[in-house]
């Protein structure tokens, strides 16, 4: 939530020479190049991705999701949305939300998208929202993909209304998956603990020396985690 498909570039640099099949990395609704209109419930995101899969990748697929995208993948693997899911590999999924965190997210969903006078200001905001501050260079293609607009009115490429998806129990959503679901996270990820993950996936694991954006910080570790089931 807050990022877009460009954050997968470090992982895709490993996937492309190692994986003989197709892959898709979509921008979720309200993010990046995708439509900026609701509904933004997590079910709407799952339906969007399901439609993309059915149009582009008939047959069973492996879903790889990070953070909010991991929750979307778990719900999509419930079998309610059409595509055949062979497995879900999700990492960095925030499983437990406090009432104050949910209230804060819902409050953010009602605020208008701020505009910035310079691209640099908007880029700084995007990198902070996406968790890439200190990881991605402000001049990188990833940073550029996170900003829209020109002529003194730049915005982060995210509709704040997308924060309205926060609220449903993530643990309950993940348990709806009928396909095998594997969880992981960086051992320095402030969003989730190994104990929390193992309440859903007893075999959950951690990536040593890694924070929340494991696919950016340690793409080789993430690919090893994904490839166990994808082959």
């Amino acid at each position: 939530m807050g990022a877009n498909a460009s954050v997968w570039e470090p992982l895709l640099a490993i996937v492309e020479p190692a994986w003989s099949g197709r892959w898709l990395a979509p921008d979720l609704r309200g993010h990046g190049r995708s439509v900026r209109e609701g509904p933004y419930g997590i079910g709407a995101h799952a339906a969007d991705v399901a439609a993309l899969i059915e149009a582009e990748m008939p047959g069973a697929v492996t879903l790889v999701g990070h953070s909010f995208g991991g929750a979307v993948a778990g719900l999509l693997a419930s079998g309610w949305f059409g595509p055949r899911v062979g497995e879900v590999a999700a990492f960095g999924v925030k499983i437990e939300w406090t009432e104050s965190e949910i209230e804060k997210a819902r409050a953010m969903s009602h605020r208008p998208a701020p505009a910035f006078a310079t691209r640099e200001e908007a880029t700084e905001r995007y990198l902070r929202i996406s968790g890439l501050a200190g990881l991605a260079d402000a001049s990188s293609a990833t940073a550029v993909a996170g900003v829209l607009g020109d002529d003194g009115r730049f915005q982060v490429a995210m509709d704040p209304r997308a924060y309205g998806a926060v609220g449903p129990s993530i643990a309950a959503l993940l348990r709806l998956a009928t396909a095998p679901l594997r969880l992981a996270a960086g051992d320095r990820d402030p969003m989730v603990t190994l104990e929390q993950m193992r309440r859903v996936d007893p075999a959950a694991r951690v990536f040593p020396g890694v924070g929340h954006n494991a696919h950016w910080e340690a793409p080789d570790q993430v690919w090893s985690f994904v490839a166990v089931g994808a082959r």
Side-chain angles (χ1 to χ4, degrees):
M1 184 172 288
N4 55 65
S6 68
V7 300
W8 294 98
E9 290 178 1
L11 181 65
L12 292 176
I14 298 173
V15 172
E16 287 180 330
W19 179 247
S20 60
R22 291 191 64 194
W23 55 263
L24 296 173
D27 291 342
L28 294 180
R29 177 182 292 261
H31 295 74
R33 299 159 296 172
S34 288
V35 60
R36 290 168 67 91
E37 61 183 46
Y40 284 120
I42 191 168
H45 291 294
D48 286 342
V49 178
L52 179 63
I53 291 171
E54 292 199 326
E56 300 290 339
M57 298 181 71
V61 296
T62 295
L63 300 178
V64 182
H66 170 245
S67 197
F68 179 69
V72 173
L75 181 57
L76 181 52
S78 66
W80 297 351
F81 296 88
R84 289 190 292 123
V85 177
E87 184 178 65
V88 177
F91 61 98
V93 180
K94 182 173 172 60
I95 293 175
E96 295 188 3
W97 289 75
T98 65
E99 285 301 319
S100 62
E101 288 173 334
I102 294 172
E103 289 175 6
K104 180 179 179 181
R106 289 176 174 168
M108 293 172 66
S109 74
H110 293 293
R111 297 173 186 168
F116 300 90
T118 67
R119 176 174 288 276
E120 290 72 21
E121 290 176 287
T123 298
E124 180 182 0
R125 178 67 171 267
Y126 166 68
L127 292 176
R128 188 167 66 252
I129 289 173
S130 65
L132 292 175
L135 296 176
D137 189 272
S139 62
S140 65
T142 298
V144 170
V147 175
L148 301 172
D150 54 27
D151 296 331
R153 187 174 175 81
F154 296 94
Q155 292 183 313
V156 172
M158 176 195 178
D159 186 342
R161 293 177 295 175
Y163 286 115
V166 172
S169 167
I170 300 303
L173 290 177
L174 294 175
R175 291 189 181 105
L176 291 173
T178 57
L181 181 144
R182 296 184 294 117
L183 296 178
D187 63 357
R188 299 178 182 175
D189 191 335
M191 300 286 188
V192 65
T193 67
L194 181 60
E195 179 184 4
Q196 290 168 350
M197 291 190 294
R198 285 188 169 169
R199 292 173 191 157
V200 177
D201 171 18
R205 53 165 291 187
V206 294
F207 305 125
V210 178
H212 185 58
N213 282 285
H215 50 333
W216 190 274
E217 299 174 63
D220 54 337
Q221 292 190 52
V222 173
W223 176 239
S224 295
F225 165 66
V226 173
V228 167
R231 295 192 182 283

